[in-house]
Structures are given as C-alpha cells and as structure tokens.
C-alpha cells in the first residue's frame, strides 16, 4: 500500500483515497484482492475499525466488493469509475471556480483559453 497519512482529512477517507490511487495507477487491478482491514491497520498503525470504514466506503461506491470469508476485491470497471468521479470533482472544484473568477475579472473565453494553453505549455 503506497501513501502516508496526514492530518488534512479523516483517516478513513485517506485510506479510501490511497486505495483509489492504487487502482488508478494499476497497482491494484480488477478482480484482485484489496488489502484487508488488518493489513491496513498494521501498515498505518490505525484501528482496524477505521481501516474497515475506508474499505466499506469503497464498497458502497461499487469500487470494491466483498467475497464472503475471503476478503475485498476490486470490482470490474472500478478504474474508469474512479477516473470519472475525479473528473467530475475536478470540474466542480476547479473549472467552475476558474470560470467564475474569469467572469469577475471580465476575462473572455478566448483570453481564458489562451491562459490555459500557456499554463499547459509552461508545465511540459
């Protein structure tokens, strides 16, 4: 399991996000077994109930599924589901606020697009 815990958000949300990251990066593949609550608890020195809460969040979202008596597994289509969820969040969090600020500053569509293209060129 890759990642470190911090104080920015709840631990169970960080556990879920780390598992999602591992799925998106193909470190956890579809139909592959996810780390158990005990493995996560040991790896991060956390309460197993906290680890279980992170895993169950992903079960509720259809990212993981349970095989009774065996453990949690990555559901088919999970990677695309996570990517779409993150794209939707990116749009709502960043793009909408960017466009709202551009309107406030009277930046037109063409000028905004030129700024975005410049920023993209600067980073490559």
């Amino acid at each position: 399991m890759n990642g470190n815990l911090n104080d920015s958000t709840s631990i169970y949300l960080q556990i879920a996000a780390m598992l999602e990251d591992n799925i998106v990066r193909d470190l956890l593949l579809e139909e592959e077994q996810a780390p158990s609550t005990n493995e996560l608890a040991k790896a991060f020195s956390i309460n197993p109930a906290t680890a279980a809460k992170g895993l169950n969040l992903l079960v509720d979202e259809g990212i993981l599924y349970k095989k009774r008596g065996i453990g949690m597994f990555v559901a088919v289509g999970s990677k695309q589901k996570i990517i779409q969820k993150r794209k939707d969040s990116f749009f709502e969090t960043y793009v909408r606020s960017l466009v709202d600020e551009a309107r406030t500053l009277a930046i037109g569509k063409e000028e905004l697009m030129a700024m975005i293209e410049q920023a993209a060129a600067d980073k490559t």
Side-chain angles (χ1 to χ4, degrees):
M1 184 76 182
N2 296 335
N4 294 311
L5 299 176
N6 58 54
D7 294 335
S8 65
T9 58
S10 299
I11 292 172
Y12 78 95
L13 293 174
Q14 292 178 62
I15 294 293
M18 280 186 233
L19 287 165
E20 284 184 346
D21 288 344
N22 285 339
I23 293 167
V24 169
R25 293 184 178 117
D26 292 328
L27 299 175
L28 264 177
L29 302 173
E30 292 180 352
E31 299 298 332
E32 192 171 278
Q33 188 167 10
S36 70
T37 56
N38 290 332
E39 290 170 333
L40 291 169
K42 184 176 179 182
F44 295 106
S45 300
I46 59 173
N47 187 312
T50 302
K53 192 171 179 181
L55 288 168
N56 287 326
L57 179 65
L58 296 178
V59 170
D60 293 343
E61 293 178 4
I63 304 297
L64 299 178
Y65 67 94
K66 296 177 185 181
K67 281 188 181 179
R68 189 178 180 115
I70 300 175
M72 306 271 190
F73 290 79
V74 179
V76 172
S78 291
K79 182 176 178 176
Q80 278 311 115
K81 192 179 284 189
I82 294 165
I83 290 170
Q84 188 59 53
K85 177 177 83 167
R86 290 184 176 187
K87 283 182 179 182
D88 293 345
S89 176
F90 178 80
F91 177 78
E92 291 299 324
T93 304
Y94 299 103
V95 176
R96 283 200 187 276
S97 62
L98 174 74
V99 171
D100 289 345
E101 183 67 8
R103 282 190 189 118
T104 301
L105 299 174
I107 297 172
K109 179 180 174 182
E110 292 78 22
E111 187 179 0
L112 179 60
M113 291 305 296
M115 289 176 168
I116 292 170
E117 288 172 3
Q118 179 185 352
D122 289 349
K123 299 296 179 189
T124 56

